[in-house]
Amino acid sequence: MNGTTALASRAHRRRSTVLTAALTLPLLAVTACGTTTGTATQGTTTPASPPTAGSGTSGGTSGTPAPSRTTAPQPTATPATGNSGGTSGTSATRVRTGVYFLHGEKVSPAPRSVIAPATATAAVQALLAGPDRYDRAHGRSTAIPSGTRLRSLVVRDHVATVDLSGRYDDGGGSLSMRERLAQVVFTVTRFPTVHKVTFEVDGKAVTSFGGEGVVLNGPVGRADFEDRAPAVLVESPMTGDTARTPLRVWGSADTFEARFRLKVTDTTGRTAADVLVKATSGTGTRGTFDVTFPYKAGRTGPGLLTAYVVSAKDGRTVTVDTVPLTVNR
């Protein structure tokens, strides 16, 4: 009888130990999540959330999302009140955004995955890390000096104050200075909580940037760097994205009579689609576009999205920008 009682007692203790472990593990997992801070949303002057359906026209259906496309980030946290660019939160959701490198002398977004809610801070840090191997192989570069560090990023009243280390304004002429300023401005204003940017270097407000003395009298936005944006700025898809038909393309443009064309080329070099697009405005005023159109690829593989215009003067085709893609058949 005593042996039976001892066995029962040991079994009861084992069940108690298992139950205690089962209750303890979730608590440990919750504790491990920690707390992060940061800004939470994307694009403004050129909206990162796509324009309203029908804001552009094409040879296909306009403004209807392609189910297979990855659209711009939709984080949920509120604007920042602290010096990491956002409000406190307990989740660690990954958000897809874009950081702006240079293609030639114009800005061009490349996709990056950052952790919410500190998305603006993480996006600038990803920008400072520079182009990766794929970006470089497809002609993307940066004017930001290697070794530049982000000291802090604060968002208040839709203005982001970005404090960078002294390396940021080292060397380069006026073009390089404007390029590196534009890269930060376009990257941060991709989040809709941010409309403009003020700069600090080593904690001191900047009113004249670099040896060339680029004047920064107040907060600056994308319109202040219109010369660094291509005539057609494709915000999505971004470099290296996978395309599926129908393909959704959105962004902004400033072209003659707001018209331009988008062409998809498949891995064989064959034109899979070539459509006319009209932005909301043009001829000196940047407008938005959002179009969806079908294409027919001969084979799956590396392809290209080309934005181009046809010269009204002589009918010549002028390539505005290109976005390398994986084009699915």
Side-chain angles (χ1 to χ4, degrees):
M1 188 66 176
N2 289 339
T4 302
T5 302
L7 288 172
S9 177
R10 285 196 295 273
H12 176 73
R13 286 197 298 272
R14 283 196 298 271
R15 286 195 298 273
S16 297
T17 301
V18 171
L19 179 58
T20 300
L23 292 172
T24 302
L25 285 174
L27 293 175
L28 291 173
V30 170
T31 303
C33 290
T35 301
T36 57
T37 58
T39 50
T41 41
Q42 101 242 17
T44 47
T45 309
T46 300
S49 49
T52 305
S55 63
T57 57
S58 76
T61 304
S62 175
T64 304
S68 57
R69 294 297 315 149
T70 302
T71 58
Q74 298 294 336
T76 56
T78 53
T81 56
N83 56 359
S84 61
T87 57
S88 295
T90 56
S91 62
T93 305
R94 283 207 163 268
V95 175
R96 187 174 187 269
T97 188
V99 301
Y100 289 72
F101 296 123
L102 299 171
H103 188 202
E105 297 176 347
K106 307 293 185 179
V107 293
S108 176
R112 292 295 186 269
S113 177
V114 298
I115 296 178
T119 48
T121 297
V124 174
Q125 289 170 337
L127 172 67
L128 299 181
D132 62 21
R133 182 180 299 178
Y134 182 91
D135 298 324
R136 292 193 300 271
H138 290 85
R140 271 57 182 176
S141 63
T142 183
I144 299 173
S146 175
T148 300
R149 295 181 297 102
L150 176 64
R151 289 165 47 88
S152 67
L153 190 157
V154 184
V155 180
R156 288 192 181 96
D157 299 325
H158 303 294
V159 176
T161 299
V162 181
D163 183 7
L164 296 157
S165 64
R167 185 85 175 95
Y168 184 57
D169 66 353
D170 285 353
S174 58
L175 175 60
S176 174
M177 293 298 171
R178 288 189 60 78
E179 287 174 340
R180 68 186 70 174
L181 290 168
Q183 286 183 252
V184 172
V185 168
F186 276 78
T187 296
V188 177
T189 57
R190 188 176 175 97
F191 296 85
T193 52
V194 183
H195 299 174
K196 291 192 173 185
V197 179
T198 59
F199 287 90
E200 293 181 354
V201 172
D202 285 338
K204 297 180 180 179
V206 175
T207 57
S208 180
F209 184 71
E212 299 296 320
V214 177
V215 177
L216 298 173
N217 287 328
V220 290
R222 290 188 173 198
D224 296 291
F225 296 94
E226 177 63 24
D227 61 318
R228 296 301 96 215
V232 179
L233 175 58
V234 175
E235 299 278 4
S236 180
M238 292 182 276
T239 57
D241 278 352
T242 297
R244 294 180 177 86
T245 189
L247 175 64
R248 185 183 188 182
V249 184
W250 57 269
S252 68
D254 179 5
T255 58
F256 180 68
E257 294 184 340
R259 296 176 182 271
F260 61 95
R261 300 190 72 89
L262 292 172
K263 179 172 68 174
V264 177
T265 308
D266 68 15
T267 193
T268 68
R270 174 182 173 274
T271 298
D274 191 336
V275 298
L276 175 66
V277 181
K278 186 174 182 181
T280 54
S281 59
T283 315
T285 304
R286 184 165 290 269
T288 60
F289 66 91
D290 184 2
V291 296
T292 300
F293 54 88
Y295 67 80
K296 190 174 182 180
R299 192 164 59 193
T300 296
L304 198 66
L305 172 66
T306 301
Y308 72 96
V309 296
V310 178
S311 170
K313 183 177 181 179
D314 56 15
R316 185 170 54 93
T317 296
V318 180
T319 297
V320 177
D321 204 4
T322 57
V323 181
L325 304 170
T326 295
V327 177
N328 275 3
R329 183 176 178 181

